[in-house]
Amino acid sequence: MSQRGTARPDLDYEHLAPTADYVNRVVQVGGKYTLDEPFEAGWGNVVLDVTPRGLATRTFRRPDLSFQVHYGLLDGDVRIESDRGTRALALRHDSVASFYTAFCDAARDLGVDPPDSPLICEIPGSPSTFEEDRAPRTWDPDAARLMCTAWNLATAGLEAWQAPYLGHRPRVGVMWGGFDLSATRWRPQRTTPTPGRPAFQQNAELHAYVSVGFSFGTPDAPHPGMYAYIWPQPDGLDSRDWTVPGATWHPDAGLIQLPWPALLQTPDPVQSIVDFGDAVYAAAVDLSGWPADWVCPRVDGWYMSRTPAEQVQRLERERHEGG
């Protein structure tokens, strides 16, 4: 699985932050439709797909229409596509409030109701609703392109990491609230959610999981990079080898972190993301009793289309015996 041709964008938090903050807010508008979908463990129903040109919701299927929302970061537009037609609006607006008004008007033209909730979620210090967010906003096409390139690189690695997992695994995508790219592996083991947290966070902790993701950083931690954690958190993480140079355990944050500059210095960043994820899952196997045999051999579709089943089974046995 060679990805050495993948673009390697340098990411500077201060440069990206104004555009990322604006995009985080406006993708919540279309993202709210995902709350109408059946709940999937760990909020897998809310993720936005990383496309070649931006972020997109899943297709929403209603009794009388189907539609999807695509945020074209490279094109500077938002397209609401339905079986009745398409409406486009500019992504760049003076404020979140003016974007929200334009979005709802475009949706109504297609017979799509506005989102059920106008609340802005998981952004500390933000106004309560989209209509109240009238602060001037920054749109930088160069920052948007860097964001898209980084998302696609990280997604390539996370999708490859996820592919052989036999348990429940929501599709890799951006969580429109926290605005992180996430790949999560679940197993049906009841846990005790963290007391005092909001209901949506507690309901994300009902079962054990391993999460690997990517974030552009926050004002408190302005460092883009990969992260990972195991829920519930086991003891012994401080003594693990995370395979990729620069990846370290940060007990105060409860995260294994791989800074973006360290990732870009590896010969193959996409493979390094896979290796990083494998090291985290190995820690879950060793320290939390996760099943090692829930991971199949990592091969491509051509291999599986031509290889006899008994040979694949032998490879699987050898992998587990050797691991």
Side-chain angles (χ1 to χ4, degrees), residues 23 48 53 59 88 92 114 134 149 154 158 204 206 223-224 245 276 287 303 321:
V23 174
L48 303 177
R53 307 194 68 79
T59 297
R92 181 173 190 167
R134 299 187 175 278
T149 306
L158 292 176
L206 291 175
H223 309 293
F276 178 61
L287 304 177
Y303 178 93
E321 290 169 359

Side-chain angles (χ1 to χ4, degrees), residues 136-192:
R137 294 293 168 183
T138 298
W139 173 253
D140 181 346
D142 178 65
R145 177 170 290 278
L146 288 170
M147 291 167 62
C148 274
T149 306
W151 272 327
N152 273 286
L153 188 159
T155 300
L158 292 176
E159 288 178 341
W161 176 67
Q162 279 288 51
Y165 185 62
L166 295 173
H168 178 66
R169 51 181 179 91
R171 69 192 193 283
V172 176
V174 172
M175 310 292 283
W176 50 257
F179 209 50
D180 56 325
L181 178 71
S182 178
T184 308
R185 294 178 174 182
W186 292 85
R187 65 168 173 161
Q189 178 188 17
R190 284 286 182 179
T191 65
T192 302

Side-chain angles (χ1 to χ4, degrees), residues 170-285:
R171 69 192 193 283
V172 176
V174 172
M175 310 292 283
W176 50 257
F179 209 50
D180 56 325
L181 178 71
S182 178
T184 308
R185 294 178 174 182
W186 292 85
R187 65 168 173 161
Q189 178 188 17
R190 284 286 182 179
T191 65
T192 302
T194 305
R197 287 189 171 183
F200 80 92
Q201 292 182 345
Q202 291 199 29
N203 288 331
E205 296 179 343
L206 291 175
H207 291 276
Y209 64 90
V210 175
S211 185
V212 183
F214 163 75
S215 169
F216 292 113
T218 66
D220 294 333
H223 309 293
M226 307 299 299
Y227 68 85
Y229 61 101
I230 302 167
W231 171 260
Q233 180 181 303
D235 295 328
L237 293 173
D238 54 339
S239 62
R240 301 293 300 190
D241 178 5
W242 306 109
T243 304
V244 182
T248 54
W249 164 242
H250 294 262
D252 292 343
L255 298 173
I256 307 109
Q257 295 180 322
L258 174 57
W260 193 254
L263 176 67
L264 296 191
Q265 289 174 8
T266 65
D268 188 339
V270 171
Q271 181 60 48
S272 293
I273 293 172
V274 176
D275 295 341
F276 178 61
D278 283 349
V280 174
Y281 189 78
V285 171

Side-chain angles (χ1 to χ4, degrees), residues 60-79:
F60 304 111
R61 296 174 175 86
R62 306 289 188 256
D64 55 346
L65 84 161
S66 299
F67 69 98
Q68 180 190 52
V69 182
H70 184 256
Y71 289 83
L73 271 67
L74 299 189
D75 305 300
D77 68 2
V78 179
R79 299 178 66 85

